[in-house]
């Protein structure tokens, strides 16, 4: 059971949904990613919700992360110059609780924002947000980073959405 009807359960190691690399998911401009999440447990590192982030760190990723200390939302992208740009949430996430998480990259405004349960939850911004992002050549995965082990989501994901525009 998910937040709305049925959902997918991920085991934190090998479960994933591979969306391939269609032209519609090859972003260089604005984008938004959202999902209902309920983590059963958290890994040592990032837990990828939706990822097109390769081992060479190109592409985008919405995740739960400990990059800045406590477990928060993370929305990570690669700038037009190939540099890391990311926004981290301000609220510490807990296991076994439903959250609606959203990452929004607005290329025109040159902003990255994260939302928790529909409310702006911006914490630390890392890097300079550019007017374009670099696309990665890897596939888009739900529940795990493509081609890299150790970044798997353990829990339930529901209502995953990927948009080619800034929603909020």
């Amino acid at each position: 059971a998910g937040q709305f009807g049925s959902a997918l359960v991920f085991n934190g190691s090998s479960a994933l949904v591979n969306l391939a690399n269609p032209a519609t998911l090859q972003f260089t401009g604005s984008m938004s990613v959202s999902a209902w999440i309920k983590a059963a447990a958290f890994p040592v590192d990032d837990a990828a919700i939706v990822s097109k982030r390769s081992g060479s760190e190109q592409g985008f990723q919405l995740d739960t992360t400990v990059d800045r200390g406590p477990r928060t939302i993370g929305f990570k992208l690669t700038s037009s110059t190939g540099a890391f740009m990311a926004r981290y949430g301000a609220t510490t996430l807990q296991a076994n609780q439903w959250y609606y998480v959203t990452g929004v990259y607005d290329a025109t405004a040159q902003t990255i924002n994260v939302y928790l349960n529909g409310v702006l939850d911006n914490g630390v911004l890392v890097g300079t947000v550019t007017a374009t992002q670099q696309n990665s050549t890897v596939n888009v995965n739900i529940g795990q980073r493509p081609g890299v082990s150790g970044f798997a989501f353990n829990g339930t994901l529901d209502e995953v959405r990927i948009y080619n525009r800034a929603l909020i």
Side-chain angles (χ1 to χ4, degrees), residues 7 42-44 51 55 58 62 65 84 90 95 98 102 125 140 144 152 154:
F42 296 114
V44 174
S51 182
Q58 282 189 317
L62 178 65
T65 183
F84 182 70
W98 280 107
T102 306
L125 174 68
V140 177
Q144 191 170 40
N154 183 353

Side-chain angles (χ1 to χ4, degrees), residues 68 75 77 83-88 112 123-129:
R68 307 300 298 174
F75 191 46
L77 302 104
F84 182 70
M85 53 184 190
R87 174 69 75 180
Y88 296 96
I112 300 173
V124 174
L125 174 68
V126 174
T128 301
V129 182

Side-chain angles (χ1 to χ4, degrees), residues 14-108:
S14 60
L16 66 99
V17 175
N18 185 338
L19 301 179
N21 187 25
T24 55
L25 295 177
Q26 296 179 22
F27 301 113
T28 57
S30 295
M31 69 174 299
S32 302
V33 182
S34 66
W36 281 96
I37 68 168
K38 184 178 181 184
F42 296 114
V44 174
D45 207 326
D46 298 341
I49 299 164
V50 177
S51 182
K52 191 177 196 236
R53 195 157 181 76
S54 68
S56 63
E57 303 300 324
Q58 282 189 317
F60 66 84
Q61 180 169 290
L62 178 65
D63 60 23
T64 70
T65 183
V66 290
D67 287 356
R68 307 300 298 174
R71 177 74 51 180
T72 65
I73 304 166
F75 191 46
K76 303 161 183 175
L77 302 104
T78 304
S79 77
S80 59
T81 62
F84 182 70
M85 53 184 190
R87 174 69 75 180
Y88 296 96
T91 302
T92 301
L93 303 176
Q94 305 297 319
N96 299 307
Q97 182 173 332
W98 280 107
Y99 295 102
Y100 183 62
V101 297
T102 306
V104 178
Y105 166 58
D106 187 328
T108 303

